[in-house]
Amino acid sequence: VFGDISAGKTRFLYASLNSLVATAAQAKLDVTFPDKDSQEQADFGLGVIRSGRETAKTSTNGQVSLTVRLGAGRPSELVHLFDAAGEHFRSARRPDALRFLDDGQGLVYILDPFSIEAVQRQLGGIAVPEVLRLARAAAGDPQLTYDEVASRLRDTGVPASRGRLAVVVSKNDLLRRAGLELPADSDAIAQWLWDNGLHNLVMSTRR
């Protein structure tokens, strides 16, 4: 999971884990955490999501990382989830904190709609101070954050075609409260981003 400071990365990771646990339970598939740190991180994150508490900012001195075991015995699979503080993605070519990007089989880019200039202009004429306070908009340009990670992968020899990428527009509940509606369909969301000026980002991510 990658994205700018305050984009919603950690909350997405915890919400995804919560969804994974629920889906696995419906399929009668065991979900366990093979090490103490993962178990503690999962207990904390699931508690945050299920209670509706706010998500704390990820420390720049570490990262949220946990391992989930799906299934039991030989056919089981390990899923590793990683999320580093947004500060690291502003200079993503530094080697240490973001090592997981180079080996990741799937990447999720979390994009804060409140950081898009066109959206900020639309909200300028609407009195939504409480929503803006809760949103804590990411301060960086969404294109630059993405480009930093793409450049890092190129520099380390990771072919862009090797991995899978999802783009997630976060904070949709707050966007709706501010009077703006985000479409639900993937192609429609891409068009929404395009219409709001993120032409290069849409083209880059599709490649």
Side-chain angles (χ1 to χ4, degrees), residues 12-36:
F12 171 81
L13 185 143
Y14 289 154
S16 297
L17 177 63
N18 187 52
S19 178
L20 178 64
V21 169
T23 303
Q26 291 175 352
K28 295 181 171 49
L29 188 66
D30 289 335
V31 175
T32 55
F33 302 93
D35 60 85
K36 181 183 176 184

PDB file of all heavy atoms in Angstrom, residues 12-36:
ATOM      1  N   PHE A  12      -7.081   1.874   5.047  1.00  0.00           N
ATOM      2  CA  PHE A  12      -7.411   0.946   3.961  1.00  0.00           C
ATOM      3  C   PHE A  12      -6.867  -0.447   4.268  1.00  0.00           C
ATOM      4  O   PHE A  12      -7.551  -1.455   4.052  1.00  0.00           O
ATOM      5  CB  PHE A  12      -6.840   1.445   2.632  1.00  0.00           C
ATOM      6  CG  PHE A  12      -6.947   0.437   1.530  1.00  0.00           C
ATOM      7  CD1 PHE A  12      -8.138   0.272   0.829  1.00  0.00           C
ATOM      8  CD2 PHE A  12      -5.879  -0.387   1.212  1.00  0.00           C
ATOM      9  CE1 PHE A  12      -8.254  -0.694  -0.165  1.00  0.00           C
ATOM     10  CE2 PHE A  12      -5.985  -1.344   0.219  1.00  0.00           C
ATOM     11  CZ  PHE A  12      -7.177  -1.493  -0.471  1.00  0.00           C
ATOM     12  N   LEU A  13      -5.630  -0.521   4.758  1.00  0.00           N
ATOM     13  CA  LEU A  13      -5.035  -1.825   5.057  1.00  0.00           C
ATOM     14  C   LEU A  13      -5.855  -2.554   6.121  1.00  0.00           C
ATOM     15  O   LEU A  13      -6.174  -3.735   5.977  1.00  0.00           O
ATOM     16  CB  LEU A  13      -3.587  -1.649   5.512  1.00  0.00           C
ATOM     17  CG  LEU A  13      -2.809  -2.946   5.747  1.00  0.00           C
ATOM     18  CD1 LEU A  13      -1.358  -2.800   5.294  1.00  0.00           C
ATOM     19  CD2 LEU A  13      -2.825  -3.336   7.226  1.00  0.00           C
ATOM     20  N   TYR A  14      -6.225  -1.842   7.195  1.00  0.00           N
ATOM     21  CA  TYR A  14      -7.006  -2.472   8.260  1.00  0.00           C
ATOM     22  C   TYR A  14      -8.400  -2.866   7.765  1.00  0.00           C
ATOM     23  O   TYR A  14      -8.915  -3.933   8.106  1.00  0.00           O
ATOM     24  CB  TYR A  14      -7.130  -1.530   9.448  1.00  0.00           C
ATOM     25  CG  TYR A  14      -5.854  -1.315  10.227  1.00  0.00           C
ATOM     26  CD1 TYR A  14      -5.649  -0.139  10.951  1.00  0.00           C
ATOM     27  CD2 TYR A  14      -4.854  -2.279  10.264  1.00  0.00           C
ATOM     28  CE1 TYR A  14      -4.498   0.068  11.676  1.00  0.00           C
ATOM     29  CE2 TYR A  14      -3.691  -2.077  10.978  1.00  0.00           C
ATOM     30  CZ  TYR A  14      -3.516  -0.898  11.696  1.00  0.00           C
ATOM     31  OH  TYR A  14      -2.365  -0.688  12.411  1.00  0.00           O
ATOM     32  N   ALA A  15      -9.034  -2.003   6.971  1.00  0.00           N
ATOM     33  CA  ALA A  15     -10.360  -2.310   6.444  1.00  0.00           C
ATOM     34  C   ALA A  15     -10.292  -3.511   5.493  1.00  0.00           C
ATOM     35  O   ALA A  15     -11.198  -4.357   5.478  1.00  0.00           O
ATOM     36  CB  ALA A  15     -10.947  -1.096   5.726  1.00  0.00           C
ATOM     37  N   SER A  16      -9.220  -3.598   4.711  1.00  0.00           N
ATOM     38  CA  SER A  16      -9.034  -4.737   3.804  1.00  0.00           C
ATOM     39  C   SER A  16      -8.865  -6.028   4.594  1.00  0.00           C
ATOM     40  O   SER A  16      -9.417  -7.074   4.228  1.00  0.00           O
ATOM     41  CB  SER A  16      -7.811  -4.518   2.918  1.00  0.00           C
ATOM     42  OG  SER A  16      -7.980  -3.395   2.101  1.00  0.00           O
ATOM     43  N   LEU A  17      -8.099  -5.947   5.673  1.00  0.00           N
ATOM     44  CA  LEU A  17      -7.906  -7.127   6.524  1.00  0.00           C
ATOM     45  C   LEU A  17      -9.243  -7.563   7.128  1.00  0.00           C
ATOM     46  O   LEU A  17      -9.561  -8.760   7.157  1.00  0.00           O
ATOM     47  CB  LEU A  17      -6.899  -6.814   7.630  1.00  0.00           C
ATOM     48  CG  LEU A  17      -6.655  -7.935   8.643  1.00  0.00           C
ATOM     49  CD1 LEU A  17      -6.063  -9.163   7.971  1.00  0.00           C
ATOM     50  CD2 LEU A  17      -5.743  -7.441   9.771  1.00  0.00           C
ATOM     51  N   ASN A  18     -10.029  -6.597   7.582  1.00  0.00           N
ATOM     52  CA  ASN A  18     -11.338  -6.906   8.157  1.00  0.00           C
ATOM     53  C   ASN A  18     -12.229  -7.600   7.124  1.00  0.00           C
ATOM     54  O   ASN A  18     -12.912  -8.581   7.423  1.00  0.00           O
ATOM     55  CB  ASN A  18     -11.992  -5.615   8.646  1.00  0.00           C
ATOM     56  CG  ASN A  18     -13.282  -5.873   9.396  1.00  0.00           C
ATOM     57  OD1 ASN A  18     -13.321  -6.676  10.326  1.00  0.00           O
ATOM     58  ND2 ASN A  18     -14.339  -5.204   8.987  1.00  0.00           N
ATOM     59  N   SER A  19     -12.202  -7.102   5.891  1.00  0.00           N
ATOM     60  CA  SER A  19     -12.983  -7.704   4.818  1.00  0.00           C
ATOM     61  C   SER A  19     -12.479  -9.111   4.494  1.00  0.00           C
ATOM     62  O   SER A  19     -13.273 -10.038   4.264  1.00  0.00           O
ATOM     63  CB  SER A  19     -12.911  -6.820   3.569  1.00  0.00           C
ATOM     64  OG  SER A  19     -13.616  -7.386   2.501  1.00  0.00           O
ATOM     65  N   LEU A  20     -11.167  -9.281   4.483  1.00  0.00           N
ATOM     66  CA  LEU A  20     -10.573 -10.589   4.196  1.00  0.00           C
ATOM     67  C   LEU A  20     -10.988 -11.611   5.248  1.00  0.00           C
ATOM     68  O   LEU A  20     -11.357 -12.754   4.914  1.00  0.00           O
ATOM     69  CB  LEU A  20      -9.049 -10.463   4.153  1.00  0.00           C
ATOM     70  CG  LEU A  20      -8.257 -11.748   3.920  1.00  0.00           C
ATOM     71  CD1 LEU A  20      -8.568 -12.328   2.553  1.00  0.00           C
ATOM     72  CD2 LEU A  20      -6.763 -11.474   4.062  1.00  0.00           C
ATOM     73  N   VAL A  21     -10.943 -11.204   6.517  1.00  0.00           N
ATOM     74  CA  VAL A  21     -11.324 -12.111   7.609  1.00  0.00           C
ATOM     75  C   VAL A  21     -12.791 -12.511   7.473  1.00  0.00           C
ATOM     76  O   VAL A  21     -13.149 -13.685   7.631  1.00  0.00           O
ATOM     77  CB  VAL A  21     -11.061 -11.435   8.969  1.00  0.00           C
ATOM     78  CG1 VAL A  21     -11.696 -12.241  10.108  1.00  0.00           C
ATOM     79  CG2 VAL A  21      -9.561 -11.284   9.213  1.00  0.00           C
ATOM     80  N   ALA A  22     -13.662 -11.552   7.157  1.00  0.00           N
ATOM     81  CA  ALA A  22     -15.097 -11.840   7.023  1.00  0.00           C
ATOM     82  C   ALA A  22     -15.368 -12.759   5.837  1.00  0.00           C
ATOM     83  O   ALA A  22     -16.153 -13.708   5.933  1.00  0.00           O
ATOM     84  CB  ALA A  22     -15.871 -10.532   6.869  1.00  0.00           C
ATOM     85  N   THR A  23     -14.707 -12.494   4.710  1.00  0.00           N
ATOM     86  CA  THR A  23     -14.903 -13.319   3.515  1.00  0.00           C
ATOM     87  C   THR A  23     -14.400 -14.745   3.746  1.00  0.00           C
ATOM     88  O   THR A  23     -15.030 -15.717   3.326  1.00  0.00           O
ATOM     89  CB  THR A  23     -14.181 -12.687   2.315  1.00  0.00           C
ATOM     90  OG1 THR A  23     -14.662 -11.356   2.130  1.00  0.00           O
ATOM     91  CG2 THR A  23     -14.424 -13.489   1.046  1.00  0.00           C
ATOM     92  N   ALA A  24     -13.260 -14.848   4.411  1.00  0.00           N
ATOM     93  CA  ALA A  24     -12.700 -16.169   4.700  1.00  0.00           C
ATOM     94  C   ALA A  24     -13.625 -16.962   5.623  1.00  0.00           C
ATOM     95  O   ALA A  24     -13.803 -18.174   5.454  1.00  0.00           O
ATOM     96  CB  ALA A  24     -11.322 -16.026   5.330  1.00  0.00           C
ATOM     97  N   ALA A  25     -14.234 -16.268   6.594  1.00  0.00           N
ATOM     98  CA  ALA A  25     -15.154 -16.944   7.514  1.00  0.00           C
ATOM     99  C   ALA A  25     -16.358 -17.499   6.751  1.00  0.00           C
ATOM    100  O   ALA A  25     -16.814 -18.623   7.009  1.00  0.00           O
ATOM    101  CB  ALA A  25     -15.610 -15.980   8.600  1.00  0.00           C
ATOM    102  N   GLN A  26     -16.879 -16.731   5.796  1.00  0.00           N
ATOM    103  CA  GLN A  26     -18.005 -17.195   4.992  1.00  0.00           C
ATOM    104  C   GLN A  26     -17.624 -18.436   4.168  1.00  0.00           C
ATOM    105  O   GLN A  26     -18.450 -19.316   3.926  1.00  0.00           O
ATOM    106  CB  GLN A  26     -18.477 -16.087   4.059  1.00  0.00           C
ATOM    107  CG  GLN A  26     -19.150 -14.921   4.780  1.00  0.00           C
ATOM    108  CD  GLN A  26     -19.488 -13.785   3.824  1.00  0.00           C
ATOM    109  OE1 GLN A  26     -19.101 -13.796   2.654  1.00  0.00           O
ATOM    110  NE2 GLN A  26     -20.218 -12.800   4.322  1.00  0.00           N
ATOM    111  N   ALA A  27     -16.362 -18.477   3.742  1.00  0.00           N
ATOM    112  CA  ALA A  27     -15.886 -19.609   2.935  1.00  0.00           C
ATOM    113  C   ALA A  27     -15.363 -20.763   3.794  1.00  0.00           C
ATOM    114  O   ALA A  27     -14.832 -21.737   3.275  1.00  0.00           O
ATOM    115  CB  ALA A  27     -14.781 -19.131   1.995  1.00  0.00           C
ATOM    116  N   LYS A  28     -15.502 -20.602   5.140  1.00  0.00           N
ATOM    117  CA  LYS A  28     -15.007 -21.607   6.089  1.00  0.00           C
ATOM    118  C   LYS A  28     -13.512 -21.874   5.887  1.00  0.00           C
ATOM    119  O   LYS A  28     -13.041 -23.012   5.909  1.00  0.00           O
ATOM    120  CB  LYS A  28     -15.805 -22.899   5.985  1.00  0.00           C
ATOM    121  CG  LYS A  28     -17.270 -22.731   6.388  1.00  0.00           C
ATOM    122  CD  LYS A  28     -18.036 -24.037   6.308  1.00  0.00           C
ATOM    123  CE  LYS A  28     -19.425 -23.916   6.924  1.00  0.00           C
ATOM    124  NZ  LYS A  28     -20.202 -22.768   6.472  1.00  0.00           N
ATOM    125  N   LEU A  29     -12.790 -20.775   5.686  1.00  0.00           N
ATOM    126  CA  LEU A  29     -11.335 -20.829   5.489  1.00  0.00           C
ATOM    127  C   LEU A  29     -10.656 -20.276   6.736  1.00  0.00           C
ATOM    128  O   LEU A  29     -10.997 -19.182   7.204  1.00  0.00           O
ATOM    129  CB  LEU A  29     -10.960 -19.996   4.264  1.00  0.00           C
ATOM    130  CG  LEU A  29      -9.517 -20.072   3.767  1.00  0.00           C
ATOM    131  CD1 LEU A  29      -9.202 -21.465   3.235  1.00  0.00           C
ATOM    132  CD2 LEU A  29      -9.297 -19.030   2.678  1.00  0.00           C
ATOM    133  N   ASP A  30      -9.704 -21.025   7.273  1.00  0.00           N
ATOM    134  CA  ASP A  30      -9.003 -20.571   8.479  1.00  0.00           C
ATOM    135  C   ASP A  30      -8.170 -19.326   8.191  1.00  0.00           C
ATOM    136  O   ASP A  30      -7.519 -19.226   7.147  1.00  0.00           O
ATOM    137  CB  ASP A  30      -8.073 -21.668   8.998  1.00  0.00           C
ATOM    138  CG  ASP A  30      -8.832 -22.831   9.599  1.00  0.00           C
ATOM    139  OD1 ASP A  30      -9.978 -22.617  10.050  1.00  0.00           O
ATOM    140  OD2 ASP A  30      -8.282 -23.949   9.621  1.00  0.00           O
ATOM    141  N   VAL A  31      -8.170 -18.390   9.132  1.00  0.00           N
ATOM    142  CA  VAL A  31      -7.308 -17.212   9.075  1.00  0.00           C
ATOM    143  C   VAL A  31      -6.527 -17.148  10.382  1.00  0.00           C
ATOM    144  O   VAL A  31      -7.116 -17.073  11.464  1.00  0.00           O
ATOM    145  CB  VAL A  31      -8.115 -15.906   8.908  1.00  0.00           C
ATOM    146  CG1 VAL A  31      -7.186 -14.689   8.976  1.00  0.00           C
ATOM    147  CG2 VAL A  31      -8.880 -15.904   7.598  1.00  0.00           C
ATOM    148  N   THR A  32      -5.209 -17.209  10.281  1.00  0.00           N
ATOM    149  CA  THR A  32      -4.358 -17.129  11.469  1.00  0.00           C
ATOM    150  C   THR A  32      -3.214 -16.162  11.194  1.00  0.00           C
ATOM    151  O   THR A  32      -2.966 -15.775  10.047  1.00  0.00           O
ATOM    152  CB  THR A  32      -3.797 -18.518  11.844  1.00  0.00           C
ATOM    153  OG1 THR A  32      -3.109 -19.067  10.703  1.00  0.00           O
ATOM    154  CG2 THR A  32      -4.910 -19.454  12.281  1.00  0.00           C
ATOM    155  N   PHE A  33      -2.525 -15.809  12.261  1.00  0.00           N
ATOM    156  CA  PHE A  33      -1.390 -14.886  12.163  1.00  0.00           C
ATOM    157  C   PHE A  33      -0.178 -15.599  12.760  1.00  0.00           C
ATOM    158  O   PHE A  33      -0.134 -15.874  13.963  1.00  0.00           O
ATOM    159  CB  PHE A  33      -1.714 -13.584  12.900  1.00  0.00           C
ATOM    160  CG  PHE A  33      -2.945 -12.910  12.357  1.00  0.00           C
ATOM    161  CD1 PHE A  33      -4.189 -13.156  12.927  1.00  0.00           C
ATOM    162  CD2 PHE A  33      -2.878 -12.085  11.251  1.00  0.00           C
ATOM    163  CE1 PHE A  33      -5.336 -12.565  12.412  1.00  0.00           C
ATOM    164  CE2 PHE A  33      -4.017 -11.492  10.721  1.00  0.00           C
ATOM    165  CZ  PHE A  33      -5.245 -11.742  11.309  1.00  0.00           C
ATOM    166  N   PRO A  34       0.792 -15.955  11.916  1.00  0.00           N
ATOM    167  CA  PRO A  34       1.831 -16.890  12.326  1.00  0.00           C
ATOM    168  C   PRO A  34       2.909 -16.341  13.259  1.00  0.00           C
ATOM    169  O   PRO A  34       3.769 -17.096  13.687  1.00  0.00           O
ATOM    170  CB  PRO A  34       2.440 -17.333  10.991  1.00  0.00           C
ATOM    171  CG  PRO A  34       2.155 -16.229  10.041  1.00  0.00           C
ATOM    172  CD  PRO A  34       0.864 -15.632  10.479  1.00  0.00           C
ATOM    173  N   ASP A  35       2.875 -15.039  13.568  1.00  0.00           N
ATOM    174  CA  ASP A  35       3.856 -14.510  14.497  1.00  0.00           C
ATOM    175  C   ASP A  35       3.179 -13.521  15.435  1.00  0.00           C
ATOM    176  O   ASP A  35       2.113 -12.974  15.129  1.00  0.00           O
ATOM    177  CB  ASP A  35       5.030 -13.848  13.757  1.00  0.00           C
ATOM    178  CG  ASP A  35       4.586 -12.693  12.882  1.00  0.00           C
ATOM    179  OD1 ASP A  35       4.461 -11.564  13.394  1.00  0.00           O
ATOM    180  OD2 ASP A  35       4.347 -12.913  11.680  1.00  0.00           O
ATOM    181  N   LYS A  36       3.812 -13.289  16.577  1.00  0.00           N
ATOM    182  CA  LYS A  36       3.210 -12.459  17.624  1.00  0.00           C
ATOM    183  C   LYS A  36       2.974 -11.032  17.152  1.00  0.00           C
ATOM    184  O   LYS A  36       1.913 -10.442  17.416  1.00  0.00           O
ATOM    185  CB  LYS A  36       4.122 -12.456  18.852  1.00  0.00           C
ATOM    186  CG  LYS A  36       3.568 -11.642  20.008  1.00  0.00           C
ATOM    187  CD  LYS A  36       4.534 -11.606  21.189  1.00  0.00           C
ATOM    188  CE  LYS A  36       4.003 -10.709  22.293  1.00  0.00           C
ATOM    189  NZ  LYS A  36       4.974 -10.586  23.420  1.00  0.00           N
TER     190      LYS A  36
END
